[in-house]
Amino acid sequence: MLGLKAVDLKTQKIDTLIVPVCADKKIHDDRVIKAIIQKTLKLKEFKAETGDVVTLYDFKGLAAERIICVGLGKLKKIDQEILRSFCGAAVGRCIQADFERIWVAVPSAEKLKMELPELIESMMEGACLGNHVFDKYKQEKKHKPLKQINFWIKPQTAGKLRKIAPKVSTICAGTILAREWISMPSNEKTPEQFTRSIVSQARKYGLKTRVLREKELKQNKFGALLAVAAGSQSKPSMVVLEHKPPNAKQTLALVGKGVTFDSGGLNIKTGGSMAGMKADMSGAAVVAATLITQARLKTRTHVIGVIPIVENMPSGKATRPGDIVRSYAGKTIEIGNTDAEGRLILIDAMAYVVKKHKPKIMIDLATLTGACVVALGEKIAGVFTTDDRLAEAIQASGDKTHERCWPMPLPEDYKELLKSDFADLNNMPNSRWGGAITAALFLSEFSGDTRWAHIDIAGPAYNKKGDAYCGPGGTGFGVRLLCDLIQKL
Ligand code: BES
Ligand code: ZN
Ligand code: ZN
C-alpha cells in the first residue's frame, strides 16, 4: 500500500499529486514541484498556512490529473509530528473524495533540517495510520481506504531507503489492530471472545501462545484476578505470548490490563464514567499487537506478553467490598473498592511472569486511574518507575513516536496509604489524593527485583473525537513506542 518511488514526474501517469507547501521558506528542490508552488502562491486564497488547500488541474508539463497543494505552516514549526498530521489529514481528505491512488511529494530533508529516513518515516506513518477506516458496524460502507500511497523522492536517493515502507506498514498495522480491538464493543469482546481473537492473530504470525483458563487459574491460585472475574458470566483467562528468536540476549516482559468492560463491580460506576469502559482492555490490546508486530518484524529481542483478561461486573457472585483475597504472590488484599480492579489483575500477571520467566525488564500498560487523566490530560501517559534509565528510554521513544509520556514519582512514604487493618494491603488507598501514584505503588509491591516500569494510559488510550491520523475510538497508543523501545534495548 505504501510505496517510495523516484520516477520522472513529467511523464509518470498520476491521478492525484499532493504537494506540501511551507508558508515562509522553500522546502522543495525539484524544478517541477517548485514551478507548481510558485503558481499556487500567486493565488489569493492560498497562503500555505496549516490546512490551506488548493487544487490545480491540467498543470502544464506534468502528466498528473490533479495537484493538491496543502499548507504546512511556517518552517520553524515543522517537525515529524506536523508531517505525520499533514499526511494523515491529506489521506483523510482523499478518502472522503473516493480517490484510490495518490502520490505525495517528499520535501528536501536538508531544507527541513531533518534526516531523510526520519522524514520519510513520519510522512508514511501519518499516511498509513490516517488510511484506516473503521466501519465494521456500519451497514452502509461510505468510503474505502486508499489502495496505494506513493511517496515521490529525488531519483539519486531511492536505493537505501527501501526498507522504510514495509517496516512502517507492519508497525502501523500493529497500531491499527490495537485500535480495532479497543473500539470493538464489549458485547463482541467478552473475555472468551477477546482471548480467542488474540490467540488466532498471534498464531497466524507464529508466536508461541499459551492460555491459562479458569481451571488453571484456580489451581495456580490467581486469587486477585479471580476475585475481579467473579461477578461476570464470562470466564477469565491469562494469555501468554512469546516472541523468542534464537540467540536473544535480553528478556522483556510486557503486561497489559485486559478488562473487557469495567462497570466498577459492586462499587458500580455512574453513567458518565462507565460510558467509555469498553476501552479498559487497551493495555492488553497494545501488548498483544506489539508482540504480533515483533514476530512480523523478526526482531532479535526475546519478548513475553502477559495479558490477564476479565470483565468487571456486579452480581450475586461478585466480590464484595471488605472481602479479603490471596494474590498469586501470596500477599493478602482487602478489597476496599471493587472498581480498583486493574491493579488486582495486574499484580497476579506480574508476579507470574517474574516467577516463571525472570525477565530482565518488565513494563506494564494499563488504563489504570482517572487520577492520571486529571494529572496529565488526555494526550499524555504517566510513567512510574524508580529506574531512571528505563524512564528516560521510555520517554525518549514516546517523544520520537509522539506517544508522549511524563515521569511521575513513586514516594516510599505514600505506601502508608495502602495499609489494611486486616490484610497485607488494601486495593483502595485511604486518601482521595494522588490516586495514580498510589495505584502504581500498589503494583510496585509485586515487581520483585525486576527492573520495572508502569505506564498509565487511561488518558491517551482512547480518543472520542479523533484527530489528523486517528479516527474516533481506540488510538493504539503505545504500540509504536514499544516497537521503538524494543529496538533500542
Ligand atoms: N478503568 C478505571 C480507570 C479509568 C478511568 C480509565 C477513566 C479510563 C478513564 C479504573 O479501573 C478505575 O475505576 N479506577 C478508579 C480507582 C479508584 C476506585 C481507587 C479511579 O480511577 O477512580
Ligand atoms: Zn475500575
Ligand atoms: Zn478499570
Side-chain angles (χ1 to χ4, degrees):
M1 190 257 293
L2 292 177
L4 184 66
K5 300 208 162 117
V7 294
D8 184 354
L9 279 181
K10 290 193 206 77
T11 53
Q12 175 72 33
K13 163 115 189 49
I14 290 174
D15 302 337
T16 303
L17 174 66
I18 311 276
V19 180
V21 187
C22 174
D24 57 349
K25 290 270 156 46
K26 294 194 168 109
I27 57 165
H28 293 269
D29 44 25
D30 176 77
R31 292 244 304 280
V32 186
I33 304 280
K34 282 204 282 200
I36 296 169
I37 292 174
Q38 205 176 18
K39 184 164 180 191
T40 49
L41 284 175
K42 280 188 191 141
L43 300 169
K44 268 216 171 72
E45 65 266 40
F46 189 78
K47 311 242 162 8
E49 268 151 32
T50 319
D52 280 3
V53 183
V54 75
T55 308
L56 309 176
Y57 299 91
D58 304 320
F59 192 84
K60 242 208 265 148
L62 260 186
E65 212 172 282
R66 71 178 72 71
I67 302 164
I68 307 179
C69 290
V70 185
L72 262 186
K74 296 215 162 69
L75 182 72
K76 219 174 68 200
K77 295 217 169 140
I78 300 176
D79 58 10
Q80 289 195 285
E81 179 59 9
I82 295 278
L83 291 163
R84 265 184 219 109
S85 296
F86 159 80
C87 283
V91 166
R93 204 173 285 122
C94 293
I95 292 173
Q96 293 296 318
D98 294 323
F99 296 160
E100 285 192 353
R101 291 158 202 285
I102 65 165
W103 289 69
V104 184
V106 177
S108 147
E110 201 183 313
K111 293 201 162 116
L112 288 175
K113 297 190 179 66
M114 284 182 193
E115 297 297 324
L116 186 59
E118 271 95 68
L119 167 63
I120 294 169
E121 195 176 278
S122 38
M123 290 183 77
M124 285 186 169
E125 260 175 21
C128 195
L129 292 172
N131 198 30
H132 172 225
V133 179
F134 186 68
D135 56 6
K136 196 171 166 221
Y137 298 96
K138 295 271 193 196
Q139 184 172 29
E140 189 195 348
K141 318 280 182 200
K142 274 202 193 122
H143 303 290
K144 289 199 187 103
L146 306 181
K147 286 196 180 128
Q148 183 68 30
I149 307 171
N150 285 325
F151 288 81
W152 179 83
I153 52 165
K154 279 199 318 193
Q156 64 271 31
T157 44
K160 56 186 176 190
L161 305 164
R162 266 200 325 264
K163 287 188 183 148
I164 300 177
K167 187 176 159 204
V168 169
S169 293
T170 306
I171 294 175
C172 292
T175 299
I176 288 168
L177 175 63
R179 283 181 182 178
E180 294 207 341
W181 268 327
I182 298 164
S183 298
M184 190 180 265
S186 297
N187 60 325
E188 294 234 341
K189 60 172 177 207
T190 61
E192 288 103 338
Q193 289 169 314
F194 186 37
T195 301
R196 241 178 282 137
S197 178
I198 291 176
V199 168
S200 83
Q201 290 288 333
R203 294 228 165 107
K204 197 158 100 192
Y205 297 106
L207 284 168
K208 210 170 122 191
T209 63
R210 175 157 182 231
V211 182
L212 284 86
R213 300 187 191 281
E214 197 188 33
K215 200 172 132 200
E216 261 176 295
L217 294 171
K218 280 185 178 155
Q219 279 166 355
N220 290 288
K221 302 198 168 73
F222 285 79
L225 189 160
L226 288 163
V228 179
S232 171
Q233 300 273 6
S234 191
K235 303 248 181 277
S237 73
M238 199 170 76
V239 180
V240 184
L241 305 176
E242 193 168 359
H243 169 65
K244 194 172 186 184
N247 312 322
K249 356 183 241 304
Q250 298 255 26
T251 303
L252 167 71
L254 299 175
V255 183
K257 172 177 172 182
V259 177
T260 65
F261 187 71
D262 182 11
S263 70
L266 287 173
N267 291 106
I268 198 159
K269 289 181 185 288
T270 50
S273 58
M274 202 190 294
M277 285 303 135
K278 69 169 182 182
D280 213 19
M281 36 56 75
S282 298
V286 168
V287 168
T290 300
L291 265 114
I292 287 164
T293 308
Q294 295 311 303
R296 295 186 65 187
L297 291 173
K298 300 192 169 61
T299 44
R300 282 201 278 193
T301 311
H302 180 201
V303 190
I304 298 173
V306 185
I307 307 168
I309 303 176
V310 299
E311 186 183 42
N312 188 22
M313 296 293 264
S315 82
K317 289 189 176 158
T319 298
R320 294 154 287 249
D323 284 0
I324 294 176
V325 299
R326 186 179 297 275
S327 69
Y328 180 84
K331 284 192 180 129
T332 58
I333 294 146
E334 180 182 353
I335 310 293
N337 190 315
T338 61
D339 198 10
E341 84 298 339
R343 63 198 76 185
L344 296 173
I345 67 168
L346 287 170
I347 57 164
D348 275 1
M350 286 166 56
Y352 172 84
V353 71
V354 167
K355 185 173 167 196
K356 298 281 177 193
H357 297 277
K358 301 186 178 57
K360 186 99 188 270
I361 297 174
M362 171 166 68
I363 301 172
D364 77 83
L365 285 94
T367 46
L368 202 62
T369 64
C372 200
V373 193
V374 173
L376 298 173
E378 289 184 291
K379 294 186 178 179
I380 301 175
V383 181
F384 302 78
T385 175
T386 51
D387 187 318
D388 291 345
R389 258 180 54 223
L390 186 54
E392 275 162 31
I394 291 170
Q395 202 181 357
S397 288
D399 285 347
K400 180 160 178 231
T401 64
H402 203 70
E403 294 164 302
R404 289 165 293 175
C405 293
W406 197 252
M408 302 282 276
L410 280 173
E412 266 311 300
D413 55 331
Y414 281 28
K415 284 189 181 166
E416 189 76 31
L417 304 171
L418 295 167
K419 280 196 172 149
S420 159
D421 288 334
F422 312 110
D424 297 330
L425 288 165
N426 196 313
N427 78 330
M428 179 71 183
N430 53 42
S431 161
R432 289 179 56 189
W433 312 113
I437 297 172
T438 45
L441 282 170
F442 185 90
L443 300 180
S444 75
E445 292 289 314
F446 299 85
S447 59
D449 299 326
T450 313
R451 290 179 68 193
W452 159 78
H454 156 62
I455 310 181
D456 193 332
I457 55 169
Y462 201 82
N463 185 336
K464 246 173 140 170
K465 288 203 214 98
D467 57 32
Y469 58 92
C470 181
T475 61
F477 180 104
V479 174
R480 290 183 299 120
L481 183 160
L482 289 172
C483 289
D484 185 73
L485 184 71
I486 291 166
Q487 221 182 351
K488 287 194 305 207
L489 287 178

